[in-house]
Amino acid sequence: MIITTDPDVSRLAPAWERIRDTSPADEAVPLVLDCARRLLADPGGEEARIWVSGLVAMSGYLAWRPEPEAERAALEALRAAVEALGGRPCPHDGHPYEAGMGSLEDEVWNGDTGLLTGTLAAPDADVETERVLCPANVAGWARLATDVIAPLTVRRIPVGAPESHHDCISVLSGIVNDYPYGDPHEDLKHEAASLPARPTRGVLAGYLVTMNATCWYAASERITDRSVLDAMIKGVEEAVLLLEDRPCAHAPGEHPDTGDPDYANQVGYFLRSPGGRAEIAEYYGWDEEDDPGEESEAPDAWVCPAFLRDVAEETLGELASGLRSFEAAHGDGAATGA
Ligand SMILES: [Zn+2]
Ligand SMILES: [Zn+2]
């Protein structure tokens, strides 16, 4: 049962649930604007949790090419909720939103936050209502949604990428360090085909950075099946088409250096989840203040479309040169006994 005195919510909640990355703007935008307006009106209030849950439910739409007006309104309201609720002391050592972070499938939360009813479906049914409705839990969900919509702009997200991402880093780390554990042909083709049709900004950036980290290996004579090169070229070319037209807001020298494949490989997977972004920001000190006047990389530049276009161009250049060498060595047949 939804805990609220607002009669609109029982009508709105099912409509929020239906909003997805595929939703047309004329369906999603009015719902987002309405929800954001109500949250912004009282971001620290008793019912802020309701409007936060609405924006979390619609984050699939908000993370994939939303109308700029809807994105702005949602981010403004979510940030106001974080500001109003996030600093309140509470007696809990953990909150239910943290358990949700490990299973963020391609970042977008499609499950129940429990914020409307004060209860969570199994397997977390024993989590008490007080912890679900705690302002720190509401602020936690607002932080996660903000960071999925606008990656690397939120602080104080708990550290921890999903376990499956750690596994991918370890497999690809073997490859980029020239010490593969499994069959690099299969692992690279699997990675090349891993991009969802409508990726979040973090997932898309991570994919392109990982492709860049692994392309030197794919372009080398270690690869004996050209379908690896074909799959990676196809994957990167398709990913570039998904980049937005957002203008670059960075100063010279603020775009990251991807010259170290081992580092880029780690960043590539950590970019794909809020907990992963928090993990790498902490590990590499991205959150620390730099000396004034010193030229340094801006963490949010990792998701800058202009930066990612340059990265993709470099990757495609390397892969094309690998393909030419492959054909020179093997002829242009499809495969040679891999
Ligand atoms: Zn609490
Ligand atoms: Zn930029």
Side-chain angles (χ1 to χ4, degrees):
M1 209 188 89
I2 299 174
I3 318 170
T4 174
T5 54
D6 189 326
D8 286 348
V9 176
S10 58
R11 176 178 58 82
L12 289 169
W16 297 336
E17 290 298 325
R18 285 194 296 273
I19 297 299
R20 291 278 178 272
D21 51 6
T22 48
S23 297
D26 59 358
E27 188 186 334
V29 172
L31 287 168
V32 170
L33 292 179
D34 172 66
C35 195
R37 183 181 54 78
R38 292 172 192 251
L39 178 56
L40 194 59
D42 192 8
E46 187 63 28
E47 304 217 316
R49 62 185 168 81
I50 290 173
W51 317 118
V52 168
S53 93
L55 293 173
V56 170
M58 295 187 280
S59 58
Y61 169 77
L62 289 163
W64 168 251
R65 301 200 172 175
E67 289 289 309
E69 183 194 10
E71 182 188 329
R72 260 197 311 275
L75 287 174
E76 186 187 4
L78 288 165
R79 286 175 176 144
V82 170
E83 178 81 25
L85 299 168
R88 296 193 194 165
C90 82
H92 310 124
D93 51 11
H95 295 93
Y97 81 94
E98 293 166 45
M101 292 176 61
S103 51
L104 280 174
E105 184 72 20
D106 291 326
E107 283 214 282
V108 174
W109 180 255
N110 290 320
D112 181 17
T113 59
L115 296 179
L116 288 178
T117 58
T119 53
L120 275 169
D124 298 298
D126 58 338
V127 176
E128 69 271 36
T129 298
E130 184 196 292
R131 227 178 260 254
V132 176
L133 299 183
C134 176
N137 190 49
V138 180
W141 279 111
R143 278 198 194 91
L144 291 188
T146 306
D147 195 56
V148 169
I149 302 166
L152 295 162
T153 63
V154 185
R155 297 201 174 180
R156 295 185 48 221
I157 285 178
V159 161
E163 200 51 47
S164 62
H165 289 185
H166 280 279
D167 295 344
C168 292
I169 289 172
S170 128
V171 167
L172 295 173
S173 146
I175 293 176
V176 300
N177 289 307
D178 207 8
Y179 203 84
Y181 311 117
D183 177 357
H185 297 82
E186 289 311 313
D187 291 333
L188 289 173
K189 277 198 281 187
H190 184 262
E191 177 59 33
S194 70
L195 190 67
R198 295 180 176 80
T200 62
R201 294 174 67 198
V203 169
L204 178 56
Y207 176 86
L208 284 169
V209 170
T210 301
M211 285 290 121
N212 185 263
T214 52
C215 73
W216 78 264
Y217 190 97
S220 75
E221 72 288 351
R222 295 162 183 80
I223 290 299
T224 55
D225 178 349
R226 71 167 280 168
S227 68
V228 173
L229 290 157
D230 291 337
M232 289 179 70
I233 290 169
K234 177 170 178 280
V236 176
E237 283 177 347
E238 289 174 359
V240 170
L241 299 177
L242 302 178
L243 288 169
E244 300 162 289
D245 287 330
R246 266 173 220 266
C248 170
H250 301 110
E254 283 191 333
H255 281 178
D257 181 357
T258 55
D260 175 357
D262 192 33
Y263 173 58
N265 170 52
Q266 292 180 45
V267 175
Y269 260 90
F270 282 127
L271 279 174
R272 304 183 201 199
S273 67
R277 291 189 285 269
E279 189 163 342
I280 196 139
E282 180 180 278
Y283 189 73
Y284 287 108
W286 289 356
D287 281 349
E288 285 158 22
E289 294 293 324
D290 291 303
D291 296 336
E294 188 185 307
E295 197 174 81
S296 64
E297 295 173 0
D300 74 344
W302 280 103
V303 296
C304 169
F307 161 70
L308 293 167
R309 275 200 183 85
D310 288 347
V311 167
E313 195 180 320
E314 183 190 280
T315 309
L316 288 171
E318 182 85 13
L319 292 171
S321 129
L323 198 53
R324 282 192 299 275
S325 312
F326 185 95
E327 285 170 352
H330 302 276
D332 58 3
T336 52

